[in-house]
Amino acid sequence: QSVLTQPPSASGTPGQRVTISCSGSSSNIGNNYVYWYHQLPGTAPKLLIYRNNQRPSGVPDRFSGSKSGTSASLAISGLRSEDEGHYYCATWDGNLSGPLFGGGTKLTVL
Amino acid sequence: QITLKESGPTLVKPTQTLTLTCTFSGFSLTTTGVGVGWIRQPPGKALEWLALIYWNDDKRYSPSLKSRLTITKDTSKNQVVLTMTNMDPVDTATSYCALWRFDAFYIWGQGTVVTVSS
């Protein structure tokens, strides 16, 4: 069980807005940037959000990230079928002295 | 264009040592702030960070696996090598190498599947 807690699943219908939470502590999220990755089945994770709320080139503005205290959230608006897959939050952990991943959230578009 | 590609055996026996190689292009592992890391993912499970090597040869390991891991780099070949000793069936996973820039893994390789079985 990861130190970064994510809901195991989330769902929504096309066009809806969904949010995925990531809860940590002062040793990780509380004092470091949060990153979000999207992983489709059988493929490598792809960076979706960096430094809490920044989008890499090519990522639609339907995706947004936020952080408050020791928690972070990923919001997806205008949900589309291609948004399905697993979403992982990640951050640096001072106790680990290394990067830490959340347990992942499987998003289903109904 | 930045690319990373993992290579290594697809099958290893219990107690053997696994050696994985990450061959990359489009960046230099001598650039300040740059690193290459390894992450694994058992079937149907979450991502787990294994090791990270920086441009200055600083190395970090997951505490839970530190005794079994060694990460090295060869900047002339643009390669990073990870060895994991005493493999066990629970180590069966897809392993990824990824580009680390300052504070996160920005670009990932396609991954390589390693099965541990006798």
Side-chain angles (χ1 to χ4, degrees), chain A:
Chain A
Q1 191 169 355
S2 177
V3 176
L4 296 183
T5 302
Q6 297 181 237
S9 64
S11 63
T13 57
Q16 269 191 331
R17 182 178 187 271
V18 297
T19 60
I20 297 171
S21 61
C22 177
S23 178
S25 68
S26 58
S27 69
N28 42 68
I29 292 178
N31 285 284
N32 296 284
Y33 289 120
V34 176
Y35 296 75
W36 290 92
Y37 297 90
H38 179 216
Q39 185 179 35
L40 294 168
T43 69
K46 176 187 171 186
L47 184 65
L48 201 61
I49 296 289
Y50 67 98
R51 295 192 171 183
N52 300 338
N53 54 21
Q54 303 299 302
R55 287 185 307 277
S57 173
V59 174
D61 58 7
R62 301 186 297 106
F63 296 90
S64 62
S66 64
K67 172 188 150 177
S68 178
T70 59
S71 294
S73 291
L74 173 71
I76 309 171
S77 59
L79 201 60
R80 304 174 68 163
S81 58
E82 57 260 40
D83 298 335
E84 284 199 332
H86 281 83
Y87 290 83
Y88 293 92
C89 60
T91 186
W92 185 268
D93 187 275
N95 292 336
L96 195 63
S97 290
L100 184 63
F101 292 95
T105 299
K106 182 178 182 179
L107 176 65
T108 302
V109 180
L110 302 170

